Each structure stands twice: as structure tokens, then as C-alpha cells.
Amino acid sequence: MHQSRTMSTGKVGILRTLTAEGEASAHILSESLGVSQQGISLAAKELESLGYIERRRDEDDRRKVWFGITPAGVERFNEEVTRGWAALLGAIESSLSTDDRDLLRAAIPALTKMSVGVSA
């Protein structure tokens, strides 16, 4: 599934978190994704340069930076999710029996609901 993505799992995790939360600090992203704040900072710089996220300084604490997702970032996140699902479905089709595939297809809606809020 990860091979079909064109963006690292960590960057997709940042986009997923920002899509769900609206905005988050580097500390919040670090905690939710299990990545160092330095790692978040480096990934955020790249995502910002691509136009997928934007940053703003906290009005009360100018040392704190908040990240938010842009419309282009939402679009890119959705593309990555679509690629991931297509790869997963391709793997299911090529390696499972018809009965097993039917069971998995029936479970996909429930699995999708479960995946909301799961870390990258």
C-alpha cells in the first residue's frame, strides 16, 4: 500500500491530522504521529513549500507556530488516500480467494470507520 503513495507516510500523517483537526502545533503533530518535533518541522517545511500547508504564529505566544491545511493539501491528501485504497484492493484481488475477497469487501465500511483517528 505504501509503495503506491508518492508522499511519505509521515507527511500523509501530517495532512491527515490537519484535515481532521483543522490546525495543529508541531507539538500536537509530534505527539499524535510519534515523530520528533524536528522531524515534524522538516516535513512541514517541505509541505509548506509545496503549498499543502500554511503556518501562522500564535497571537498570544509568538514562539508557538500553528499549521493548517490548504485546499491543495486536502486535495493531495485525498489523492494519497485513494492511491492507498486502490493498492490495498489490488492486493486483495490478487492474493485472496473469491470467498475471502467477498468477506473483506463486506468489512471495508467498518474498517474505514475504524481507521479514523489512527496514527500513521
Side-chain angles (χ1 to χ4, degrees):
M1 210 165 93
H2 296 296
Q3 290 175 343
S4 68
R5 288 189 170 153
T6 57
M7 184 179 285
S8 74
T9 303
K11 290 182 187 109
V12 172
I14 290 171
L15 294 180
R16 183 187 66 241
T17 301
L18 295 176
T19 298
E21 301 297 324
E23 67 176 7
S25 67
H27 176 75
I28 291 169
L29 291 170
S30 174
E31 291 289 316
S32 75
L33 299 174
V35 176
S36 71
Q37 286 193 34
Q38 182 180 13
I40 294 295
S41 179
L42 291 172
K45 282 181 185 178
E46 184 176 336
L47 291 170
E48 187 177 19
S49 73
L50 294 168
Y52 298 147
I53 67 171
E54 51 195 10
R55 67 178 70 215
R56 70 168 181 82
R57 290 268 175 213
D58 189 293
E59 304 256 337
D60 298 325
D61 182 351
R62 301 297 291 166
R63 296 169 296 170
K64 193 172 195 177
V65 175
W66 290 92
F67 298 102
I69 193 160
T70 65
V74 171
E75 183 178 328
R76 181 57 188 267
F77 171 69
N78 290 332
E79 289 171 3
E80 292 295 323
V81 169
T82 299
R83 283 187 185 112
W85 276 111
L88 176 60
L89 293 174
I92 289 169
E93 289 293 325
S94 67
S95 53
L96 297 178
S97 70
T98 302
D99 289 342
D100 287 341
R101 287 193 306 258
D102 290 342
L103 285 170
L104 276 175
R105 272 193 204 99
I108 286 175
L111 293 171
T112 301
K113 288 179 186 175
M114 287 175 41
S115 71
V116 174
V118 175
S119 296

